Amino acid sequence: MDRRTSKRIKEAKLKARPELSDSQAWYRLGYFDNFDISLDTVELCDNVERVDTSKVSPEEFVERYEQHYTPVVLTNDQADWQASYKWTMEVFNSFYVSLCTFAVPFG
């Protein structure tokens, strides 16, 4: 990525979340303590269909979405994934507390 593109991305992030202007704001404002991106807490502001993978067969998915190049968001695809149980926010924070995190809302 060239310097000009990096500068534009940084400016867009700052405009979207001015309260996160410095590298320690995420921690100073306490966002790391209550960061939750589950579907129950995220406001969906798009028109992309959500498809629950436990309710659609692979064949049905190919027929309804893949063949037609229809964009979808897959949900519940990682329900049995071990990392979802092992990597809680507390564990993540204990390993990566020194890293700078910058969040930008989608939508």
Side-chain angles (χ1 to χ4, degrees):
M1 182 172 3
D2 65 5
R3 186 176 49 85
R4 186 176 181 188
T5 304
S6 296
K7 182 180 177 185
R8 286 186 176 175
I9 290 172
K10 186 175 181 178
E11 289 171 354
K13 287 180 177 181
L14 186 57
K15 186 176 181 181
R17 298 295 300 267
E19 74 274 16
L20 297 176
S21 60
D22 66 86
S23 63
Q24 294 302 313
W26 182 265
Y27 299 102
R28 188 178 68 251
L29 296 171
Y31 290 162
F32 68 95
D33 282 332
N34 57 7
F35 186 66
D36 185 7
I37 57 170
S38 61
L39 283 177
D40 300 332
T41 60
V42 175
E43 181 180 329
L44 303 176
C45 53
D46 60 30
N47 59 355
V48 179
E49 183 179 352
R50 268 62 180 170
V51 177
D52 188 339
T53 57
S54 65
K55 297 178 182 176
V56 64
S57 70
E59 295 80 17
E60 182 183 1
F61 178 82
V62 169
E63 182 182 318
R64 291 178 60 193
Y65 306 106
E66 189 174 348
Q67 287 181 351
H68 303 285
Y69 299 100
T70 304
V72 296
V73 174
L74 299 176
T75 60
N76 294 327
D77 191 41
Q78 298 173 342
D80 297 328
W81 194 36
Q82 287 185 352
S84 64
Y85 304 106
K86 293 180 179 179
W87 286 94
T88 64
M89 286 307 291
E90 293 79 21
V91 172
F92 184 78
N93 286 333
S94 69
F95 280 107
Y96 301 106
V97 72
S98 63
L99 293 179
C100 168
T101 306
F102 197 85
V104 177
F106 294 101

